[in-house]
Amino acid sequence: MPTREDWLFGFKLLAAVALTVWVALRFDLPRPYWALATVMAVANPLAGATRSKAAYRLLGTALGAVGGLVMVPNLVQAPELLTLAMATWVGCCLYLSVLDRTPRSYVMMLAGFTAPFIGFPNVGIPESMFDVAVARVEEIWLGVLCASLVLTVVLPQSVAPAVHNQLRQWFSDAREWTCAILRGQPGSYTQAKRLQLACRATGLDAQINSLQYESTGVEQSAATVASLRQHMLMFLPIMSGIHDRVTALQKLQAMPARLQQGLTNLADWIASTTWDPVGADRLRASFDSLMPRYHCMPTWIELLTTSLLVRMKDFVDLRQDARMLEAHVIEGRRAEQPLLFRYTAAAHAIRHEDHVMASLSGFAAFVAIIVSGGFWIASGWPDGASAPMLAAVGCSFFAALDDPTRGIEKLLAAGLIAIALDCFYLFVILPRVTTIEMLILVVAPVVLGCAYLINRPATFLLGVGTGLVFFTLLALQDSYGADFSAFTNSSISVLFGIGTAVLVTQLIRSVGGAWVARRLRRMNRDSLADATRHGGPDDALELAALMLDRIGLVAMRLTALPPEDAEWTSELLSEVRVGMNLVELDRSLPSLTSDEAQVVKDLMQAVGRHFDTEALHPSEPLLDKLDACIRLFATDEECTRRRQALLGLTDLRRSLFPDAPPFEYGPSPPAVSAAA
């Protein structure tokens, strides 16, 4: 049954529709249904989401109108070229839209299919194109303003409480995992749960955008949430590294009581949920007192212990920053204090971009418009202009999905529902409507029903699609003039366009979630290989941010992966640690002698060759190279000067060869000689 929130949102949406109808008919706008369809398109229960979508729709409509004005008058005498130009425009706009994974992508997506909406229905009267474009912009802006005025001013619902709840739950789960590791009980937290932490941190992007458009003061915290998101992602490789070192020391039965007590103290501090600087400083000092003191030839246990303690200090800084940022988000303020974590949060804007999938999405839209538009032109179908228009809409709205076909099929279902409703309204109800008040009253059930669907994530697209198609085909004017033949042809044209989008997308663009997940993993390995060839990022956080963003996307698709893929998913976080170690090794090269630098470069190239392949586990020769490099640095009289490089090599060995026997000193192999 509808809840109180459903009724509140429904009546607010109805008020926005009523205001739009009254203004449009009061000022004799030529196509009021464009404004009404816009109200349904931007409707969202959250005020910030509505306001951001409204702003993007204004800009996208203006860009699309300019595109239509340029193409139609110049190509109207060659309909084939016009269709080709429109298809190219939509394809290019959609390509740019898919690359941008934030809500800002709505701008280019709307710019793409607005041009066909303006151009195709008016190819027979090109001299009126300017007036049509202006009218389209005016009515879209009217719908945007009315929706924004009612939905974001009258009892607005902020996204901030939802963000606060997500952060609270995320930190609770992360705290549970962290304490389980530090207390020696990591088995209670599965790999899937760990990856879900990445998924939920990545999913904050939409809320960040909505926060920017709030008007209750919390918009200042949007940048803070963006920084916090990056810190949340960095929890994963840091804690994964701590877990690995603890496991290695326990397996070697080399966990001294003092170090175990340090782990317990860290767990107690985390469980207390405090973030006072005094407690953090006390922990760092205790970790410093536990650091092994060595001058030359440190043992493998000493190297593991040093690495563990460094990671524990990193974690203290990371947690201090994260809790400070969380507090600022809850208070709705921008964080101005300097961050402690040695990797800065400057990489919070780095996102994965898949140019191949964006190209396929744009190409699918291009083909769908060519096919539907070509049929319209070849058949001389008077009311067939809706086919390429709806083909563009169907391909655009769902381009970001792994399998857009399912989304377009939902739009097709919404279209069928809307056509049935339109038929009843146009030929049974509207002939009896004589006033604006009666019109608002009779469309109220449809608006309230769509609002009920929009207010639920599972039926959001069905509600928006039904409202869009309903008001578009209803074609409200200042006087009644429905024609059954024209309505039937337009309805068939709508269904033909959406059906074409389904078939073309199925052939060109649809891929499974498992395929996308494997592709993301392959791209992470390519990034690792690039990092060994100086072709990747020169900052460890930049590489880690990119890889962790992809891991969050993989986590969204875990349920689509077959059981045989479980092995490589368990290596995802260790591969992030490999990337950070590779970048740190590369940055240490200037401090090394030429012979030492050459040995490190040979090692990095060998690591790159491994990640160029599909092999899950590296070969034994790579382990030999790693041990030779450690031996070279650890036996040098100035090995303390090589401390950072030694730590990076230790981390790299554990990340690539977690099951290898402990490192031992032995005769130097030929690979580490000066001649090498």
Side-chain angles (χ1 to χ4, degrees), residues 89 116 143 155 165 189 197 207 225 266 340 370 446 450-451 471 527 545 551 570 635 641 647 649 657 659:
W89 168 267
L155 299 175
N165 289 334
Y189 222 78
L197 290 175
Q207 285 85 344
V225 177
L266 180 58
L340 300 171
I370 290 293
V446 175
C450 290
F471 281 114
S527 294
I551 288 176
S570 65
T635 56
R641 185 169 62 84
L647 286 177
L649 291 169
F657 300 96
D659 299 322

Side-chain angles (χ1 to χ4, degrees), residues 232-277:
M232 291 161 66
L233 286 172
M234 286 301 295
F235 266 96
L236 302 171
I238 297 297
M239 279 313 303
S240 175
I242 292 176
H243 181 201
D244 175 80
R245 308 303 180 271
V246 170
T247 302
L249 288 171
Q250 289 174 341
K251 188 179 295 184
L252 294 172
Q253 298 181 346
M255 179 69 74
R258 290 184 62 207
L259 182 55
Q260 183 61 61
Q261 185 60 46
L263 293 170
T264 302
N265 292 340
L266 180 58
D268 292 341
W269 179 69
I270 293 169
S272 69
T273 70
T274 61
W275 54 287
D276 61 294

Side-chain angles (χ1 to χ4, degrees), residues 110-162:
L110 194 71
F113 65 74
T114 293
F117 263 78
I118 291 175
F120 282 142
N122 299 284
V123 291
I125 46 174
E127 65 277 3
S128 67
M129 265 301 300
F130 182 79
D131 293 336
V132 171
V134 171
R136 171 80 177 181
V137 172
E138 288 177 347
E139 286 156 13
I140 294 296
W141 285 21
L142 171 63
V144 164
L145 292 175
C146 291
S148 300
L149 181 64
V150 176
L151 296 178
T152 67
V153 175
V154 180
L155 299 175
Q157 182 178 348
S158 173
V159 72

Side-chain angles (χ1 to χ4, degrees), residues 411-429:
L411 180 62
L412 184 60
L416 289 171
I417 295 172
I419 287 171
L421 290 172
D422 280 317
C423 186
F424 178 70
Y425 269 81
L426 281 172
F427 304 107
V428 177
I429 294 181

Side-chain angles (χ1 to χ4, degrees), residues 447-465:
V447 175
L448 292 175
C450 290
Y452 176 81
L453 297 174
I454 292 172
N455 205 34
R456 284 164 168 71
T459 55
F460 177 84
L461 293 176
L462 182 63
V464 172

